[in-house]
Amino acid sequence: MKILDKYLLKTFLITFTTVFVILFFIFILQTVWLFISELAGKDLDLILVVKFLLFSMPRIIPLVLPLSVLLASIMTFGNLAENYEFAAMKSSGISLQRAMRVLIAFIFVLSIVAFWFANNVIPFAEYKFVNFRKNIAQAKPAMAIAEGQFNDVGTYNIKVNKKSGENGNILTGVTIHEKANNVGENKTVIKAKNGKLISNEKSSILKLVLNDGYYYQDVTPKKYEDRAKLPFVKASFKKQIINIDLSELNKVDDNQEISSTNGMLNVSELRYTLDSLNKNLDNEILSFSENINQRVGFKKQPPVVIKNPKKKKSLPNDLLSLYDNKQKLDILKMATSNVTSNIYSIEATQKELKDKQRDINKHSTALYEKFVIAFACFLMFFIGAPLGAIIRKGGLGLPIVFAVLIFITFHFINTFGKRLSQEGGMTPFMGSWMSSFILLPLAILLTYRATNDNGLINFDAITTPISQLFQKISERFTPAQKP
């Protein structure tokens, strides 16, 4: 490796590492902010918080890595151009392509590492992250309930005045509101002097043992005039046990569906899963079509050949005229019922098939995303490197503005494409690669202009024809001077 290659690689690596660490720290703070409700006020020790952050770190790499490559490329080549180092290279006969050669090799290796990371590390971390969020109460049951506030736990809202004991599982002053299944149903309130949380790491049930309490339940009378009396049922107990499903804990209403498993699978597993999902969808469509054909009376039957045809009496155009009014009413009611039932069955099955197709699209998108992140490193480098050479500005000023604008455009198009493909608006392949296809011409244009020293925009090509046009107009309308 020549001295110039070592210098360029060292400069780029220092800038890339610095930018990556800063951006990674910023995105980690964003992750903490998003999940602050699961961390704050729940008596989590340092080890659990560190595990939570470690499991959430790999999922932000697809965002940080392309942005780091883009910003580092703009800053590195911008500094070289601003300090006239590129001018010195070109005067020595070294072109921009030759200067980028060693960095292209580095980006190629980085893309392979990014694909391996997305295919192996991120699915494993996603699996650990999801399970850690679901089972965090098993590791420390008392964290599910914070002091002095109502905690939404499954079908209960639980409030305790004080927690004590070695693991905080001894509760004092317990108030529980049981949620109603439907609007207008009975409401239940349970109050107890003290209680205890009992859990088992091998079980998904958290047991709450209450002592010395009362049980209140509102009663909804059948007669409307009796509802103003607000009747209720009250009972006391010495001991009562409530079982809480831990799977209901730590549910977060965000845009990422925790129940989806496509982010936990690698390429081979996604392909196997997609094959199974597509076969299942095709079989269900075939089964439903055969079932609905039988229900409406459409059956595929071979043509029947009648050897001795006999003349039959032709049927009237209005078949209902063969029946009396009562029979007509019964026939119409039966037909209406059958049509309504078939429409309901078709709409329900259609919704179910759409959900299954949406699941298939999500798995397909997750498959293509593993390749997109590798290509995004190449794309951002071939946008950032020539752009830095053109604008001739280093540091953290103008490069950050360009990098943020380009990356926001890339991320917005990528998110829009994925959402649209998941809903069936376009194929998952186009939805995943749309951002790369749109920005690829920009990378080619910038590389071409930086190689030929044309600048970002050739303003002369725009202003020269306009100035010539005005000059011709002025010459035509200007009177000729007499000698």
Side-chain angles (χ1 to χ4, degrees), residues 461-474:
I462 301 175
T463 58
T464 301
I466 297 176
S467 62
Q468 292 176 352
L469 177 63
F470 277 104
Q471 185 176 1
K472 290 180 179 179
I473 295 174
S474 61

Side-chain angles (χ1 to χ4, degrees), residues 341-364:
S341 176
N342 289 332
I343 292 175
Y344 176 79
S345 177
I346 291 173
E347 290 177 349
T349 306
Q350 186 180 20
K351 183 180 181 301
E352 184 179 352
L353 293 177
K354 283 184 178 179
D355 292 338
K356 290 191 175 184
Q357 185 62 52
R358 188 180 295 112
D359 191 30
I360 292 175
N361 293 339
K362 289 180 180 179
H363 282 78
S364 299

